[in-house]
Every structure is written in structure tokens, then in C-alpha cells.
């Protein structure tokens, strides 16, 4: 009899201690994190097309191509791992590599005017904007969740059920902005060497 009463009252007790709300906040944060993953994957998927376009004009930039491929691989692995800190770091690494790739266009006037190249840059910029939006949504969801599980009596429920604080997605400064190069500069005078391709730091 007592056991039946406990089972009957369990939902009310859990609701009163915030169990259902904890699950709701946690699910909100999980969905928001998934949106970051979606946009990061979209960015990673654009990279091969950008690299192939640049290769059409700059076949000898192997070091830059290798750096971009490694950074893309790191981002793909971080997305699969699902850790926000690793995803943010890998995305920042890819941003740096893409910046060096796009800077290559300075030495190739025809590449700077290539419509595919320009379109891919625009798509990357749009994706970065969506990543920034998804990051903000996720961090807001994490803040709501983390705050809730620290308040009494929810803190007791969180401890009993194993609910732990979530990690924020902290983007490195500047990594939420797609790399761009100002192509409005005048071309180098005849007889001068073209700008050297930036090296990896």
C-alpha cells in the first residue's frame, strides 16, 4: 500500500523539485547545440569547393591547401565529439586557415574575379552569421539551465539525478567573422613580385 502511494506521489514530488523543468532546460540546450553543429558542418562542407576553386588558379600553394584540409578534419572530428570547447577551438583554427587560403587570391587577379570564388566567400560569410546566432542561442539556453540547477530545491534534484552544468560555447575573438581580403587594392606595378602567401603562424 505504501509503495503504491509513493509511486502515485512520485510525479508530483519530482515536479515540485524541478525535475521536469530540468529536463526541459537540458533538452533546449541540447537542441541549441545541435544547431551549432549543423552550421559548423555546413561550413566544413563548403571548404572543399573553395579549395578546388583556388587550386584552379594556384596549383602550387600546397602548404596552404594542407593546412586547410587539416583544419577542416579537426573541425569535423570536433563536431562528432560534440564538446563545445573543442568545436569552438577547431572552428577558430579553420578560420585562420581559410584566411590564409583567401589571401592567396591577392596574387591571382583572375581568381579574385572568379564568380565561384566570390559566391563561396559570400556563403561562408552567411554561414558564420548563422553560427554566431546559433552560438548565442545555445549560450542563453545553457545559462538558463545552469542557473536553474543551482537553485534550491532544484539543486538537490540535479544532484540526485546526476544533472551537471553544461559548457558554454566560447568563440575565439574574431572567429565568428568569415575571413575576407580587401581586393580593392591596386595591382603591383609591372616588374615587381606578387605578394607572398602568408605563412601559418
Amino acid at each position: 500500500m505504501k509503495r503504491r502511494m509513493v509511486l502515485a506521489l512520485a510525479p508530483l514530488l519530482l515536479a515540485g523539485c524541478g525535475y521536469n523543468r530540468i529536463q526541459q532546460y537540458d533538452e533546449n540546450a541540447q537542441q541549441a547545440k545541435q544547431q551549432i553543429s549543423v552550421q559548423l558542418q555546413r561550413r566544413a562542407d563548403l571548404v572543399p569547393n573553395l579549395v578546388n576553386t583556388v587550386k584552379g588558379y594556384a596549383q602550387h600553394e600546397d602548404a596552404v591547401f594542407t593546412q586547410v584540409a587539416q583544419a577542416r578534419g579537426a573541425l569535423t572530428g570536433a563536431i562528432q565529439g560534440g564538446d563545445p570547447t573543442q568545436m569552438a577551438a577547431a572552428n577558430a583554427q579553420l578560420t585562420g586557415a581559410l584566411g590564409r587560403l583567401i589571401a592567396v587570391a591577392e596574387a591571382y587577379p583572375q581568381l579574385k574575379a572568379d564568380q565561384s570564388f566570390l559566391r563561396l566567400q559570400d556563403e561562408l560569410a552567411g554561414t558564420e552569421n548563422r553560427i554566431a546566432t546559433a552560438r548565442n542561442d545555445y549560450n542563453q539556453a545553457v545559462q538558463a539551465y545552469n542557473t536553474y540547477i543551482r537553485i534550491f530545491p532544484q539543486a538537490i534534484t540535479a544532484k540526485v539525478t546526476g544533472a551537471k552544468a553544461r559548457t558554454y560555447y566560447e568563440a575565439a575573438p574574431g572567429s565568428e567573422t568569415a575571413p575576407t581580403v580587401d581586393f580593392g587594392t591596386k595591382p603591383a606595378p609591372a616588374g615587381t613580385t606578387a605578394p607572398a602567401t602568408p605563412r601559418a603562424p
Side-chain angles (χ1 to χ4, degrees):
M1 184 67 181
K2 290 183 178 179
R3 185 176 180 181
R4 290 181 180 178
M5 185 175 294
V6 170
L7 292 174
L9 293 176
L12 296 176
L13 293 173
L14 289 174
C17 293
Y19 176 81
N20 290 339
R21 187 60 63 86
I22 289 174
Q23 301 307 308
Q24 178 184 349
Y25 282 151
D26 186 52
E27 183 63 25
N28 290 345
Q30 181 62 29
Q31 290 179 358
K33 188 179 77 169
Q34 182 61 26
Q35 280 304 307
I36 295 177
S37 297
V38 168
Q39 298 306 328
L40 288 176
Q41 186 61 57
R42 184 176 186 277
R43 187 186 197 205
D45 290 343
L46 289 171
V47 170
N49 290 334
L50 182 66
V51 170
N52 288 335
T53 301
V54 175
K55 278 184 177 180
Y57 296 90
Q59 298 92 340
H60 304 297
E61 303 290 346
D62 292 337
V64 176
F65 299 146
T66 298
Q67 292 169 6
V68 173
Q70 291 174 342
R72 180 180 181 272
L75 178 58
T76 300
I79 293 170
Q80 293 175 350
D83 180 78
T85 300
Q86 293 180 2
M87 288 194 294
N91 190 47
Q93 180 184 356
L94 181 59
T95 295
L98 286 176
R100 290 184 285 275
L101 177 69
I102 292 174
V104 167
E106 277 291 341
Y108 301 91
Q110 289 182 321
L111 174 57
K112 292 192 293 185
D114 187 283
Q115 291 302 310
S116 295
F117 179 73
L118 297 174
R119 175 180 56 78
L120 286 167
Q121 281 196 89
D122 288 341
E123 289 187 29
L124 283 169
T127 299
E128 281 303 318
N129 290 335
R130 286 188 284 272
I131 291 172
T133 298
R135 182 199 68 210
N136 289 336
D137 291 345
Y138 170 73
N139 284 342
Q140 289 178 5
V142 168
Q143 182 181 32
Y145 168 78
N146 288 352
T147 299
Y148 191 76
I149 65 173
R150 284 163 39 194
I151 299 174
F152 183 84
Q154 296 91 283
I156 297 176
T157 304
K159 185 175 182 179
V160 171
T161 59
K164 297 180 180 179
R166 281 181 168 270
T167 303
Y168 288 94
Y169 184 102
E170 299 291 350
S175 64
E176 57 274 12
T177 303
T180 57
V181 174
D182 182 7
F183 294 143
T185 56
K186 294 181 180 180
T192 61
T193 57
T197 301
R199 294 183 178 180

